Amino acid sequence: MEGLAGVALAIVLAGLGFWHLIVRRNLIWKLLGLNVAASGAILFLVALAHRPGARPPIVGLGPGPSVDPLPHALVLTAIVIDFATLALALVYVIFLTEHRHTQDVDRLERDEERGWPQP
Amino acid sequence: MKVLAALSLLSLMALLALGVSGVFPRPAVPPAEDVAAEWGAKNVVATIVLGVRLWDTLFEILVYAMTMVGVKLGLRLLRWEHAIPPVRETPLLRRSADLLLGPIVVFALYVAVSGHLGPGGGFPAGAILGTALLLLALAKGVERLSAEIHEPSLEWAEYGAIVAILAVAGGLLLVGRRGSGYLIAANVLIALEVGIGAWVVLHRFASSRGEV
Amino acid sequence: MGAILFSALTLALAVFALTQRRLLWGVIGVGAHSLALAGVYLFLAAPDVALTQAAIGFGLVTFIYLLALRRTGKLTVVAVETPPLLHQEGQRVAGLEWEILSRFGRHLHQDVEVLWVTRAEIPRLLRAGEADIGAGGFLPQSEDGVLLSRPLVPTRIVTVRYAPGPLGAVAGDRGEDHLPADRATYEDHRELASALGAGEVGGAVTDLLHVRQWILNGEIPPVVITDHEETSFRLAVAPGEEDVHQALDAFLAKLEANGELAQLVRRYVG
């Protein structure tokens, strides 16, 4: 039950985040959408590892079969990498804001078409 | 544009739903307790992260370190128009930060050292360590704190931690002996690497906007 | 049961965060969403992942967003590029309004950031809380719905005409009100000037400052000018920012009283 609810939630979260990643025009809003989509992907893997009535993958912690520990090991590193790439992306956004004075994607594209700013 | 986005979104969600619908067979979970017992550990996830999938973790740490170097270089290239005056410090905040720092660092160490027995491990311990240093920076001011804890030597400690992780892992691969001592050492080193990396990035972000 | 409750909370927080209008609330909402997600992981029997998600997703990610926003303690100005008043000079911003805004920022101990937008977008961004001040030759229009500062530089709305054909104006500008039925609107004054040069429109309704700028740059010849009304350039303030509005008016009154404003106007506009 918990596993299925988790999978459903993960799919909805991934869709929600992905939608905002594509439709929003402000770069920081896009990054927030990416954040939610990534958390959906992580939840998807963790929910897949769950079995009904299973215990945590720690020896001697309750009865019953253990959940699959491999997805947990995968997403543990993915969470840390998410943070690192987010920091790098924010540095690029700060760069754009300092040099082009805008965070709007449409505006940036229009400036590129008009050939502004001149080097 | 929006139609394309909606189409790709729907196909993504359908793909995810297909993955759990039972079309693809799901393998039975192998008994992980034996692996954990072989390494002298109780937490199966820690055994997998540091043992069976060691290469994965090593390259992940390298990616993390590279990203942090990229952030440092990027923020160094920026030039800011003028600095914001620092926040006035309050005695209460300063005192509570001084009091809290010790327990938080000890807790991070506990999470790292007991990572092979219970929930925990190097990555959450490093995050807790970085947050503790940021808490201290909130109370004391970023520049004073970074002068107090010798930032350049801290950065060298980060690179040293990476080299030490590689050395420990390489030694393990060469010697082939498995034990909980290796797990503890690797967890503590990963905590150092992640914690110092997080602190350095937060410090660069904070000092480039003036103050926390 | 607990799992369903936490799942609903996670989803609700994600929706709350992504539908906010202020970035600050969005960041806080995503942080709370991460924390609720850590609870869901606990119910899915993944304590390691829950601990990592709580420490990184709630602690580090929220902090790094807040630091990168530079928004708490920052004035965001949305503006149209208007050469003598506010314009980009290589890497830096210059102009009369920039002198005033940067002094005002120092007065409030806040960083000032200028984002270039089009005239029609300014009221929308101010009302949405995405920006604090609108500038760049801002002429108030009746349906804008924003707070207005004291007048900065007086000007007039005029019609220039040197060929038969429809009249053009900038979308959202004051001049749009005086357009006849035979009309054409453009995104900014640069597009309007190039349309005049190309002969797409026979004339334009705009303010005297822009007409003077075009004639000085040789983009249009000196032409017949019809007068409409007296008005003046002002700064626009977001409707929710009463404090900024009062502080800005007090600051401008001080500049007027000690004669610095008149000096600046002489130097930049002449």
Side-chain angles (χ1 to χ4, degrees):
Chain A
M1 181 57 210
E2 279 104 341
L4 264 185
V7 166
L9 174 64
I11 292 177
V12 173
L13 279 183
L16 182 71
F18 200 60
W19 175 255
H20 279 264
L21 175 65
I22 291 175
V23 168
R24 283 293 180 111
R25 285 171 53 172
N26 187 308
L27 281 168
I28 294 188
W29 277 115
K30 271 182 191 289
L31 284 181
L32 282 171
L34 183 67
N35 221 344
V36 172
S39 70
I42 290 169
L43 178 61
F44 183 73
L45 285 176
V46 174
L48 272 191
H50 190 259
R51 302 283 187 280
R55 61 172 172 80
I58 294 169
V59 179
L61 206 75
S66 159
V67 298
D68 190 356
L70 190 62
H72 294 190
L74 289 180
V75 301
L76 211 59
T77 53
I79 293 174
V80 182
I81 286 295
D82 270 352
F83 163 68
T85 47
L86 174 73
L88 199 61
L90 281 175
V91 170
Y92 288 135
V93 174
I94 291 177
F95 246 91
L96 275 176
T97 316
E98 286 293 310
H99 289 294
R100 296 288 185 88
H101 291 284
T102 183
Q103 292 169 354
D104 188 318
V105 178
D106 289 4
R107 165 98 195 161
L108 283 169
E109 279 176 3
R110 212 167 52 214
D111 284 349
E112 288 296 324
E113 279 167 14
R114 286 184 186 173
W116 186 89
Q118 304 294 340
Chain B
M1 180 65 198
K2 285 208 175 179
V3 177
L4 265 181
L7 272 181
S8 54
L9 193 65
L10 281 179
S11 57
L12 170 84
M13 290 167 82
L15 208 63
L16 288 180
L18 194 69
V20 290
S21 63
V23 176
F24 307 111
R26 288 173 79 179
V29 180
E33 282 78 4
D34 305 345
V35 185
E38 194 185 334
W39 287 80
K42 281 185 175 167
N43 188 345
V44 186
V45 174
T47 328
I48 291 176
V49 166
L50 297 171
V52 184
R53 299 193 64 91
L54 178 61
W55 289 110
D56 195 355
T57 313
L58 282 186
F59 280 99
E60 190 265 350
I61 290 168
L62 284 183
V63 168
Y64 183 80
M66 296 293 277
T67 319
M68 296 297 131
V69 169
V71 171
K72 281 184 232 167
L73 282 181
L75 286 179
R76 195 172 291 164
L77 287 178
L78 277 171
R79 211 167 285 151
W80 308 88
E81 278 170 6
H82 66 269
I84 304 167
V87 185
R88 213 152 32 88
E89 70 175 43
T90 59
L92 182 68
L93 189 61
R94 167 107 198 256
R95 209 88 195 102
S96 50
D98 276 352
L99 280 176
L100 272 176
L101 180 72
I104 294 182
V105 170
V106 170
F107 178 62
L109 199 64
Y110 164 75
V111 170
V113 168
S114 73
H116 65 296
L117 293 177
F123 296 111
I128 293 169
L129 201 63
T131 318
L133 285 170
L134 189 77
L135 173 77
L136 201 61
L138 276 174
K140 282 193 168 183
V142 174
E143 294 312 323
R144 211 165 82 210
L145 183 66
S146 81
E148 265 179 31
I149 59 178
H150 303 291
E151 182 98 8
S153 49
L154 207 61
E155 283 183 30
W156 283 111
E158 187 193 351
Y159 302 136
I162 298 174
V163 173
I165 293 170
L166 290 180
V168 167
L172 175 89
L173 289 174
L174 283 179
V175 176
R177 266 189 63 190
R178 300 165 171 195
S180 53
Y182 155 72
L183 294 180
I184 294 175
N187 263 337
V188 170
L189 286 172
I190 290 175
L192 262 186
E193 148 70 16
V194 173
I196 297 175
W199 154 248
V200 169
V201 166
L202 287 170
H203 164 229
R204 286 289 154 81
F205 265 84
S207 61
S208 56
R209 80 171 282 277
E211 268 296 327
V212 175
Chain C
M1 194 59 222
I4 303 292
L5 213 66
F6 262 91
S7 301
L9 183 63
T10 309
L11 187 60
L13 280 171
V15 171
F16 165 82
L18 291 180
T19 49
Q20 287 305 301
R21 300 192 126 181
R22 286 204 84 118
L23 263 171
L24 184 64
W25 282 108
V27 169
I28 292 171
V30 167
H33 156 79
S34 284
L35 201 57
L37 198 60
V40 175
Y41 290 151
L42 272 186
F43 281 104
L44 290 174
D48 282 286
V49 186
L51 193 57
T52 313
Q53 176 77 29
I56 288 181
F58 180 57
L60 292 183
V61 169
T62 310
F63 264 125
I64 210 162
Y65 267 121
L66 289 182
L67 291 176
L69 273 188
R70 304 172 72 232
R71 236 191 138 82
T72 50
K74 177 165 198 175
L75 281 178
T76 305
V77 179
V78 283
V80 189
E81 214 172 342
T82 310
L85 292 178
L86 194 63
H87 57 108
Q88 186 98 22
E89 258 185 24
Q91 288 291 318
R92 49 185 283 275
V93 183
L96 176 128
E97 286 180 354
W98 172 248
E99 293 262 351
I100 293 170
L101 284 170
S102 62
R103 282 187 205 188
F104 181 58
R106 246 171 286 157
H107 172 67
L108 290 184
H109 293 303
Q110 286 183 336
D111 230 351
V112 179
E113 174 195 46
V114 178
L115 302 176
W116 300 120
V117 295
T118 57
R119 171 61 182 83
E121 278 178 330
I122 289 181
R124 189 183 64 78
L125 289 169
L126 288 179
R127 280 198 302 265
E130 291 281 326
D132 304 312
I133 294 180
F138 189 87
L139 292 170
Q141 214 190 4
S142 46
E143 68 263 29
D144 274 347
V146 295
L147 301 175
L148 292 169
S149 75
R150 298 165 71 90
L152 287 179
V153 184
T155 186
R156 314 171 85 79
I157 300 291
V158 295
T159 299
V160 291
R161 178 177 275 288
Y162 65 107
L167 285 177
V170 173
D173 198 21
R174 182 89 177 188
E176 206 186 351
D177 292 352
H178 296 281
L179 279 184
D182 189 14
R183 56 163 59 191
T185 53
Y186 295 90
E187 217 165 57
D188 56 24
H189 280 93
R190 207 182 303 172
E191 282 190 6
L192 179 58
S194 60
L196 269 177
E200 278 176 42
V201 287
V205 186
T206 182
D207 53 88
L208 208 52
L209 189 76
H210 277 101
V211 175
R212 207 193 59 164
Q213 199 69 19
W214 291 340
I215 293 175
L216 281 181
N217 291 347
E219 285 176 41
I220 59 170
V223 281
V224 187
I225 288 177
T226 335
D227 210 346
H228 282 296
E229 59 167 331
E230 297 248 355
T231 178
S232 50
F233 294 115
R234 292 161 190 259
L235 296 173
V237 182
E241 306 277 356
E242 289 288 344
D243 311 347
V244 176
H245 183 226
Q246 281 172 12
L248 186 62
D249 267 1
F251 185 73
L252 288 177
K254 207 179 77 191
L255 280 188
E256 258 174 53
N258 62 17
E260 280 184 63
L261 187 63
Q263 217 177 332
L264 280 175
V265 170
R266 255 204 316 283
R267 201 167 99 216
Y268 280 97
V269 185

